Amino acid sequence: MRGRGWKYGSGFVDGVFPVLSPMAQDILDFVQKETDVAKIWESLDKIPPAHNLWDDIINAAVQLRLNRHNWIPIISVCEWIVYRSSFRPDIICYNLLIDAYGQKRQLNKAESIYMTLLEAQCVPTEDTYALLLRAYCNAGSLHRAEGVISEMQENGIPPSATVYNAYLDGLLKARCTEKAVEVYQRMKKERCRTNAETYTLMINVYGKSNQPMSAMKMFNEMKSIGCKANICTYTALVNAFAREGLCEKAEEVFEEMQQAGHEPDVYAYNALMEAYSRAGFPQGASEIFSLMQHMGCEPDRASYNILVDAYGRAGLHQEAEAAFEELKQQGIRPTMKSHMLLLSAHAKSGNVSRCEEVMAQLHKSGLKPDTFALNAMLNAYGRAGRLDDMERLFAAMEKHGGGGPDIGTYNVLVNVYGRAGYLDRMEAAFSAVAARGLAADVVTWTSRIGAYARKKDYARCLEIFEEMVDAGCYPDAGTAKVLLAACSDERQVEQVTAIVRSMHKDAKTLFTI
């Protein structure tokens, strides 16, 4: 089949899979084990030039693509075809190379191979453009991605749904919500036919930017034009509500998915578990976990991580520990995230010694703590009042560069210093945010207001609130609660209520008092 089943983004289509001959299997096994490109090329040179050799090599490369993350062997094989062999590369070979270069963020090479295929008078397919777009988005070069669309239009090739979907996928991964919405509107304006993948991507875009009602609106629009939602669409919508802890809405979508004839998979169950976790109902998450097992759906690493997180958020550190241990008993290797969630659970309960043990365990596993894990450790020290240890760890984070402080780090410092009443240190930590090139978020500002609210310094709280709004950061329910805590009489409560209600009309985030 010469690898023709391979299609961008979806593995194989129409049930076409490469059937590997013994020679193709040998090539596949060899290139997966050998890391020296020169040796791979020499070995490929020595293979007798039988009439089916081309099929064997391409099928091996396509199988590597199906396995994902095997980008380097794909590059080795396809570069041999292009630069060394007597074969004339076809579009499958070029597309595989563009895809692999894009995944490795080697943009210049992706562009170069695109020029090579044009010079070879090989006609690019919509997949070629889609892969180029995704390569640019992966590397954050959005202006170059726009150039691909322009080039297609200049050549009289209207971008198809495949191309636009690749663009939306790249924008989703880059968290460029506004641009994604703009591209979607352009699709409609150009009368480009949207499909289930388009709507699933847009539901994910809105879901990941904490706009579940916009995600629901997109889902309803999809149904109104007769586009049938698939299991990925439903899961994306469950996830959109899950992120906001809206378990009832997540449950409704989950049930609608089953009524539509889709049997929930591990991703759908995980999304529903996440909804209960975020809403602070660990028992709900646990029940979904048990239901998943009862229905014969095998939990994966993410399922256990969500369970650890659900118990950790609720302060049930022993249950979180038990879920972590069960993950290991199932033969699943805990990742950095698994350790980080366990660390957070113990940090919340104030068990600093266990946090230090988890950190040692992490090192022993050969994993280098990332910023999230270090932030959890900082928080543990701060909550326990061990500010010297917290400051030592923070100094080490600044010194080592990798896993350096992020906005979450400064949020911990501002919160801990504010709660301890060290207002000078808190203000210094807040000032360091901008100095480091970071932007204070709603948590940073609210923690800062909270420090003065505890001292009932109402005037200072309002000053900071005004600074926050001027900086373009919108308050949430936590901010409203902290402002109300600063009030010492009925008049101030009325004033805060009026301010918050007036903000509510324009605010990008929905909150209630």
Side-chain angles (χ1 to χ4, degrees):
M1 301 305 295
R2 287 183 52 185
R4 283 183 187 150
W6 178 73
K7 189 169 174 65
Y8 155 73
S10 59
F12 288 82
V13 289
D14 302 328
V16 180
F17 286 81
V19 179
L20 299 187
S21 68
M23 173 59 80
Q25 189 63 55
D26 287 344
I27 293 169
L28 179 67
D29 293 342
F30 175 70
V31 297
Q32 281 181 308
K33 288 174 191 167
E34 182 57 69
T35 55
D36 188 330
V37 176
K39 286 183 181 175
I40 290 174
W41 284 20
E42 282 170 22
S43 298
L44 291 173
D45 287 342
K46 290 173 186 172
I47 299 174
H51 72 281
N52 57 352
L53 179 58
W54 166 261
D55 292 352
D56 291 338
I57 290 172
I58 282 292
N59 282 343
V62 167
Q63 188 66 51
L64 287 165
R65 176 62 184 78
L66 182 63
N67 295 343
R68 305 285 176 118
H69 310 305
N70 284 322
W71 310 115
I72 293 173
I74 290 172
I75 290 170
S76 301
V77 171
C78 292
E79 281 186 345
W80 177 82
I81 294 170
V82 174
Y83 301 118
R84 181 112 160 195
S85 77
S86 58
F87 293 118
R88 184 181 175 187
D90 67 0
I91 196 62
I92 289 281
C93 178
Y94 287 123
N95 283 355
L96 283 165
L97 259 182
I98 290 169
D99 190 22
Y101 287 142
Q103 294 290 346
K104 298 296 288 180
R105 300 195 178 188
Q106 296 176 358
L107 292 189
N108 291 339
K109 287 189 174 183
E111 285 178 334
S112 173
I113 210 71
Y114 173 67
M115 296 310 295
T116 303
L117 82 86
L118 292 178
E119 286 162 10
Q121 297 186 328
C122 188
V123 180
T125 61
E126 61 180 21
D127 285 352
T128 313
Y129 292 113
L131 292 164
L132 269 175
L133 270 169
R134 195 175 68 166
Y136 289 135
C137 290
N138 276 353
S141 296
L142 300 184
H143 63 287
R144 288 159 92 175
E146 274 294 324
V148 174
I149 301 287
S150 301
E151 185 176 332
M152 288 185 76
Q153 288 167 332
E154 282 167 20
N155 292 336
I157 308 166
S160 63
T162 300
V163 173
Y164 272 126
N165 288 348
Y167 198 4
L168 288 173
D169 186 37
L171 293 168
L172 168 67
K173 289 184 172 75
R175 296 289 174 101
C176 298
T177 307
E178 288 178 17
K179 184 67 179 173
V181 173
E182 181 194 309
V183 169
Y184 172 72
Q185 295 297 345
R186 194 194 306 175
M187 278 182 85
K188 289 170 74 177
K189 191 178 173 184
E190 291 173 5
R191 298 177 184 266
C192 176
R193 191 169 179 178
T194 50
N195 56 26
E197 188 185 355
T198 314
Y199 285 106
T200 303
L201 285 164
M202 286 309 298
I203 289 167
N204 267 317
V205 164
Y206 284 122
K208 287 189 177 179
S209 57
N210 306 105
Q211 298 179 57
M213 297 322 292
S214 295
M216 189 70 194
K217 190 178 172 187
M218 193 60 61
F219 183 70
N220 290 332
E221 181 186 313
M222 177 185 191
K223 288 198 289 187
S224 72
I225 64 162
C227 184
K228 198 174 178 184
N230 56 35
I231 191 166
C232 297
T233 318
Y234 283 107
T235 303
L237 191 56
V238 173
N239 264 318
F241 289 118
R243 284 188 184 89
E244 297 297 290
L246 300 169
C247 15
E248 284 184 22
K249 294 297 291 181
E251 277 275 15
E252 283 172 24
V253 177
F254 192 84
E255 283 172 20
E256 188 179 331
M257 174 180 71
Q258 290 173 297
Q259 285 162 7
H262 299 290
E263 189 174 329
D265 59 10
V266 67
Y267 302 106
Y269 281 115
N270 285 351
L272 194 55
M273 280 178 67
E274 187 73 42
Y276 282 103
S277 172
R278 296 281 181 110
F281 297 123
Q283 291 311 319
S286 177
E287 281 174 26
I288 300 299
F289 184 88
S290 300
L291 175 66
M292 182 186 347
Q293 291 176 306
H294 177 72
M295 297 304 289
C297 183
E298 199 68 37
D300 62 5
R301 184 186 285 110
S303 314
Y304 286 99
N305 283 350
I306 293 165
L307 205 53
V308 172
D309 189 33
Y311 287 129
R313 284 171 184 266
L316 303 169
H317 61 96
Q318 288 180 330
E319 287 85 347
E321 187 80 56
F324 183 83
E325 286 305 315
E326 192 182 333
L327 177 146
K328 291 197 288 186
Q329 284 163 17
Q330 294 300 316
I332 303 171
R333 187 168 177 264
T335 58
M336 172 64 69
K337 186 171 184 179
S338 313
H339 284 92
M340 188 268 288
L341 293 170
L342 184 63
L343 197 61
S344 296
H346 287 296
K348 195 161 189 175
S349 68
N351 190 347
V352 181
S353 59
R354 181 63 186 123
C355 286
E356 289 174 331
E357 284 172 18
V358 173
M359 207 58 141
Q361 210 175 316
L362 207 151
H363 282 291
K364 196 176 174 183
S365 304
L367 297 167
K368 188 182 175 187
D370 62 5
T371 304
F372 290 108
L374 293 169
N375 287 351
M377 197 67 230
L378 273 180
N379 198 27
Y381 284 136
R383 279 174 172 269
R386 289 170 56 175
L387 301 195
D388 289 347
D389 289 324
M390 182 184 82
E391 286 167 353
R392 262 195 295 276
L393 178 56
F394 175 69
M397 287 174 75
E398 284 193 305
K399 187 178 177 184
H400 294 302
D406 62 3
I407 191 59
T409 314
Y410 288 99
N411 286 348
V412 170
L413 296 179
V414 170
N415 188 268
V416 169
Y417 287 137
R419 284 180 178 279
Y422 293 120
L423 298 187
D424 289 345
R425 291 196 212 178
M426 182 201 71
E427 290 291 1
F430 184 84
S431 300
V433 171
R436 197 172 175 90
L438 299 167
D441 62 15
V442 67
V443 176
T444 331
W445 286 102
T446 302
S447 297
R448 188 182 174 207
I449 294 169
Y452 293 101
R454 284 183 201 90
K455 297 190 177 295
K456 295 290 181 185
D457 190 343
Y458 177 71
R460 183 72 181 119
C461 287
L462 277 193
E463 278 176 25
I464 296 170
F465 181 77
E466 284 175 15
E467 278 181 53
M468 174 185 181
V469 174
D470 289 343
C473 183
Y474 287 84
D476 62 7
T479 319
K481 200 183 286 185
V482 165
L483 275 175
L484 287 168
C487 300
S488 51
D489 60 49
E490 198 62 39
R491 183 187 59 79
Q492 289 176 348
V493 171
E494 286 172 12
Q495 188 181 6
V496 167
T497 305
I499 290 168
V500 170
R501 281 191 177 141
S502 68
M503 279 298 303
H504 172 81
K505 291 173 189 171
D506 306 311
K508 289 182 181 175
T509 45
L510 187 69
F511 58 85
T512 53
I513 301 172

